[in-house]
Amino acid sequence: MSQSLQAAAQRLERWIKEDAIPLWLERGIDTETGVNIERLDVTGAVDREADIRVRVQARQAFFFAQAYDRGWCPQGKDVAQKMLQFVQQHAAHPTAGGGYTHLMNPHYEVIDSKQDLYDHAFFLLANAWSYRAFGDAAALAEADRLIAHLDKKFGAANGGWLEGDYAYACRRQNPHMHLFEAFLALYDATGNAKYLARTAELFALFQTRFFDESNGLLFEFFNDDWTRLADARGSWVEPGHMMEWVWLLDWYSRRSGRPVQAYLDALYARGLAIGQAPSGLLYDVVAENGDVVDTGKRCWGITELIKASLVQIRSGHPQAEAIAIKAVDDLFTYYLSASTAGSYVDRRGADDEVIVDVAPASTLYHLIVVAVELLDHCEGRVQAR
């Protein structure tokens, strides 16, 4: 392992510990309610007019639980638990018999009560980490209640779960990917094989529906029977998600023993081939033929490229370490370059210019995961397959 990769890991650790955590503790949390704000504006000030996605509380609870677990944020336990308690008291669905609502206004009043599968994946993840980091048995019980609720209300006869309790245009792989992550986290937190069995269900969906083996691509949007949409969206590919699946499949393989290297190699190679801009950033959306559908480049995409590259370093990929090192440098150059230390740029455009300069709180989920993965890789703490 090169000193350059170790230096990159230490640089990102310092940013999380010395810049991000102090900023978001100071400005990101309403001291009266414990609610995490939605975003900071370009000046680093709280955007007081922004509505607040309920799932942001789950993602930030995860962020502070993991920061606490690493010893980076002693206040993390109190912060995370207060966020989840607020949601349970003020944003639980009033009539569904379980689960959460979707959106609050700036006064923390629910203004959209729909239940969304993607949202609930993050509440499973947050509760997994509340149990893992704090030993909070109530959080594990809540995770089990949420799983039962999803099964009862949104379980689909042809695999996976429905998108929610609203009229949706298509089924998405994205919430299922995050459920895969949440069940892996629950298994790591408890060692209970029932959660690993759930990951096997989602792995089967990946194998049979999401992944196109003939082209090495991951598709996003489907009909109810999991056939790809007939319109243009059926051919859309998100390179960042391809990289995210590399990381998740490796994690799954290390827990289950299932061989996944062929998937990792295909997703990584094709993601780089059709998804990478000349600068090295990842496009948000491309078509299966390689045409760029959306020239935007979100911050989270580069974090997933780093995580996938770490997996491929361990698999012996000859260029993966250089790709990871450059990607960390690009993360700082293009995204962790806001005028306020600890804030960030959310999105770059066709010429890598800034097109979204606010800092959504939800991005911290991606940033802390990549920091932890880098450090664990450099310190040899990743369990071998």
Side-chain angles (χ1 to χ4, degrees), residues 301-332:
I302 204 77
T303 69
E304 302 312 313
L305 174 58
I306 296 164
K307 287 156 59 181
S309 297
L310 296 176
V311 170
Q312 290 299 79
I313 292 168
R314 297 191 292 270
S315 299
H317 190 293
Q319 286 85 45
E321 184 166 308
I323 292 169
I325 292 166
K326 181 182 184 302
V328 175
D329 192 52
D330 288 342
L331 177 63
F332 277 91

Side-chain angles (χ1 to χ4, degrees), residues 43-58:
T43 70
V46 176
D47 183 348
R48 301 283 179 191
E49 302 303 313
D51 291 332
I52 299 166
R53 295 167 294 170
V54 174
R55 71 169 174 265
V56 167
Q57 308 312 305

Side-chain angles (χ1 to χ4, degrees), residues 189-231:
T190 65
N192 192 321
K194 70 179 183 181
Y195 302 117
L196 191 60
R198 290 305 187 113
T199 67
E201 296 176 34
L202 289 155
F203 179 56
L205 267 183
F206 165 83
Q207 289 180 300
T208 60
R209 302 300 183 183
F210 306 152
F211 182 68
D212 176 6
E213 189 171 4
S214 60
N215 294 298
L217 294 173
L218 178 84
F219 290 105
E220 296 287 334
F221 301 111
F222 302 86
N223 297 303
D224 276 332
D225 64 357
W226 289 118
T227 55
R228 281 165 53 190
L229 293 183
D231 63 20

